[in-house]
């Protein structure tokens, strides 16, 4: 009997043993690289998007681009990192991240009136949402969030039950991508600011429709679903950035895990948690034996090795950490946390290049457009976010 009790105690202890976070998460180079990128931003402002694939030098884009909110957002994450572990003797602790982030975010304000970004105004809102966690009364940030939410809500079609993703020459061709699950956050933030329940209802309708049409029975996902805007019928399911219409583009799968986990966080609707679990399980079960996330789970291995996508890996890390926080099932916290830590451990060290301007390499922006083996600004954003989340949960230390 005593032996059984001892064995039980050992098994319980083992179940709580977590993998270690990679040291690169808190390297001094993180602060140095982000600070150096702020210094290279031109006037008028442009933002980092992707690097080249040989030297890792940032290519810059105008603010009117879907990724332009990620770098100011990264600055806000570094401000949080400073509060969590800032040493007044190093660059993390001596840099005024808040001033840098606020200044960079100002270049996005003109987009609240008119932009070519469409549905991705949710991503552009990230730095303003971060600002509201610091100063909830910042009227500039409040106005920006509400304006971006209004622009996204204006793309909603009640017959289809979704916000339109890409504009088309044929207005009846209503295209929705799995990525759009990430933009729903701005609707919830604005709804809390304005008490406008309609914004929440739009987010829920969009998630319900996406859940019904984007997710396959095995938990994998289609990238694009095309609806008829007048009947609401889904008439085509395909990919735009994946290997094939029947394959699973890994970043799209990660967008889905994060998006549905976030919907559960906001609504406590059980079906969203079920969908997030199902998609996360598919992601884990289809991860290659070396743990490195490819750009598409079904892309062929030959004749050349398929490119990795560290941005998909970093996004999935944060999606798993969200599940670890909100999934109430027994053992779920350790299960999802370990999955996140294993992804970090397998994908960060090989993608860490000290000489590159980006934090990580080996991202795939768009393989069909021949853009891969690069640093990606959103991959870096989710890399920094993952470190912060682990610190907040006392799962690692700053050193």
């Amino acid at each position: 009997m005593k032996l059984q009790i001892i064995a039980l105690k050992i098994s319980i202890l083992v179940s709580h043993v977590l993998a270690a976070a990679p040291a690169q998460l808190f390297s001094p180079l993180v602060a140095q690289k982000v600070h150096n990128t702020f210094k290279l931003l031109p006037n008028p402002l442009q933002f980092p998007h992707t690097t080249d694939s040989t030297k890792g030098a940032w290519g810059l884009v105008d603010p009117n681009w879907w990724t332009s909110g990620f770098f100011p957002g990264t600055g806000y994450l570094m401000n949080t990192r400073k509060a969590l572990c800032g040493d007044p003797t190093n660059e993390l602790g001596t840099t005024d991240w808040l001033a840098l982030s606020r200044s960079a975010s100002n270049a996005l304000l003109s987009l609240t009136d008119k932009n070519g970004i469409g549905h991705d105004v949710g991503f552009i809102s990230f730095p303003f949402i971060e600002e509201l966690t610091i100063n909830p009364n910042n009227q500039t940030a409040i106005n920006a969030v509400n304006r971006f939410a209004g622009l996204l809500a204006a793309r909603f079609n009640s017959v289809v039950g979704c916000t339109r993703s890409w504009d088309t020459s044929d207005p009846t061709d209503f295209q929705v991508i799995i990525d759009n699950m990430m933009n729903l956050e701005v609707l919830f933030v604005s709804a809390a600011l304005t008490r406008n329940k309609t914004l929440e209802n739009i987010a829920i309708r969009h998630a319900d429709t996406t859940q019904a049409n984007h997710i396959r029975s095995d938990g994998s996902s289609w990238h694009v679903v095309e609806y008829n805007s007048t009947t609401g019928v889904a008439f085509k399911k395909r990919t735009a950035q994946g290997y094939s219409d029947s394959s699973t583009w890994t970043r799209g799968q990660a967008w889905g895990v994060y998006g549905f986990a976030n919907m559960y966080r906001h609504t406590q609707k059980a079906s969203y948690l079920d969908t997030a679990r199902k998609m996360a399980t598919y992601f884990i079960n289809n991860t290659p034996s070396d743990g490195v996330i490819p750009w598409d789970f079904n892309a062929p291995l030959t004749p050349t090795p398929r490119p990795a996508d560290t941005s998909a890996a970093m996004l999935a890390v944060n999606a798993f950490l969200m599940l670890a926080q909100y999934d109430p099932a027994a053992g779920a916290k350790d299960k999802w946390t370990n999955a996140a830590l294993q992804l970090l451990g397998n994908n960060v060290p090989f993608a860490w290049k000290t000489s590159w301007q980006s934090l990580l390499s080996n991202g795939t922006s768009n393989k069909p457009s021949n853009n891969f083996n690069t640093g990606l600004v959103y991959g870096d954003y989710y890399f920094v976010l993952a470190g912060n989340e682990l610190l907040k949960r006392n799962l690692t230390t700053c050193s």
Side-chain angles (χ1 to χ4, degrees):
M1 184 64 179
K2 287 183 178 180
L3 288 175
Q4 290 177 331
I5 293 173
I6 291 171
L8 177 61
K9 287 181 178 179
I10 291 173
S11 69
I12 292 171
L13 286 172
V14 169
S15 72
H16 287 278
V17 173
L18 300 177
Q24 293 89 346
L25 271 177
F26 306 105
S27 165
L29 281 175
V30 174
Q32 291 172 22
K33 287 187 176 190
V34 176
H35 195 191
N36 286 339
T37 301
F38 270 110
K39 292 176 183 177
L40 67 81
L41 300 183
N43 186 16
L45 273 177
Q46 292 181 302
F47 295 104
H49 173 48
T50 67
T51 71
D52 67 87
S53 60
T54 55
K55 295 184 178 179
W58 280 120
L60 304 179
V61 294
D62 291 329
N64 196 11
W65 185 248
W66 77 272
T67 62
S68 60
F70 281 105
F71 187 68
T74 300
Y76 276 101
L77 296 181
M78 293 305 296
N79 183 66
T80 300
R81 178 77 60 90
K82 178 178 179 178
L84 290 168
C85 51
D87 182 337
T89 65
N90 63 24
E91 197 157 0
L92 174 61
T94 59
T95 303
D96 190 345
W97 300 107
L98 196 53
L100 291 172
S101 304
R102 285 170 170 167
S103 177
S105 299
N106 286 337
L108 305 175
L109 290 172
S110 64
L111 303 176
T112 61
D113 292 322
K114 185 178 181 182
N115 63 68
I117 296 168
H119 64 287
D120 279 328
V121 291
F123 287 127
I124 305 302
S125 73
F126 279 8
F128 302 104
I129 292 173
E130 289 290 339
E131 173 64 34
L132 292 177
T133 66
I134 298 166
N135 180 7
N137 298 315
N138 186 313
Q139 196 59 50
T140 298
I142 291 171
N143 292 343
V145 167
N146 289 338
R147 283 290 299 154
F148 286 133
L151 291 171
L152 181 58
R155 301 179 69 82
F156 180 72
N157 180 309
S158 60
V159 176
V160 173
C162 278
T163 57
R164 182 190 290 270
S165 295
W166 295 328
D167 295 325
T168 57
S169 57
D170 178 2
T172 65
D173 183 8
F174 195 99
Q175 298 186 10
V176 180
I177 59 177
I178 190 72
D179 319 35
N180 220 4
M181 287 296 300
M182 299 295 294
N183 289 296
L184 303 181
E185 177 67 11
V186 72
L187 298 176
F188 283 102
V189 176
S190 182
L193 292 169
T194 62
R195 298 187 180 182
N196 182 353
K197 193 71 175 177
T198 298
L199 296 175
E200 285 188 23
N201 292 338
I202 288 173
I204 291 168
R205 260 310 282 292
H206 181 99
D208 288 347
T209 305
T210 300
Q211 188 173 238
N213 294 308
H214 269 85
I215 317 304
R216 302 186 183 107
S217 59
D218 64 355
S220 64
S221 57
W222 282 281
H223 182 197
V224 188
V225 175
E226 297 185 42
Y227 299 86
N228 182 294
S229 63
T230 58
T231 66
V233 173
F235 65 87
K236 189 174 185 179
K237 299 182 179 184
R238 62 180 180 87
T239 195
Q241 290 173 248
Y243 173 68
S244 72
D245 291 346
S246 61
S247 71
T248 300
W249 176 51
T250 54
R251 192 163 70 245
Q253 187 74 9
W255 291 138
V257 181
Y258 192 107
F260 282 105
N262 196 43
M263 285 299 299
Y264 177 72
R265 178 175 74 90
H266 281 294
T267 67
Q268 298 297 296
K269 187 174 178 180
S271 68
Y272 296 151
L273 177 59
D274 291 341
T275 299
R277 286 170 174 161
K278 189 175 181 179
M279 296 186 77
T281 299
Y282 180 92
F283 198 103
I284 293 168
N285 288 346
N286 286 273
T287 295
S289 58
D290 63 3
V292 174
I293 300 303
W295 71 282
D296 189 295
F297 283 123
N298 307 109
L301 300 174
T302 57
T304 58
R306 57 186 177 185
D309 186 11
T310 50
S311 75
M314 295 305 104
L315 177 59
V317 166
N318 285 279
F320 294 166
L321 289 176
M322 188 179 294
L323 279 173
Q325 186 172 2
Y326 293 102
D327 187 342
K333 181 178 180 180
D334 285 352
K335 171 187 174 180
W336 299 120
T337 300
N338 255 323
L341 289 169
Q342 287 168 8
L343 268 183
L344 284 168
N346 289 325
N347 288 271
V348 169
F350 94 100
W352 181 261
K353 288 185 170 62
T354 58
S355 63
W356 281 35
Q357 291 179 334
S358 61
L359 300 176
L360 297 180
S361 65
N362 289 92
T364 296
S365 173
N366 190 329
K367 177 62 169 61
S369 296
N370 208 35
N371 190 332
F372 59 95
N373 290 339
T374 70
L376 297 171
V377 68
Y378 39 93
D380 283 4
Y381 173 91
Y382 287 109
F383 170 76
V384 177
L385 179 61
N388 287 0
E389 288 298 310
L390 292 174
L391 288 171
K392 289 177 182 177
R393 302 176 198 192
N394 297 315
L395 292 170
T396 190
T397 61
C398 298
S399 59

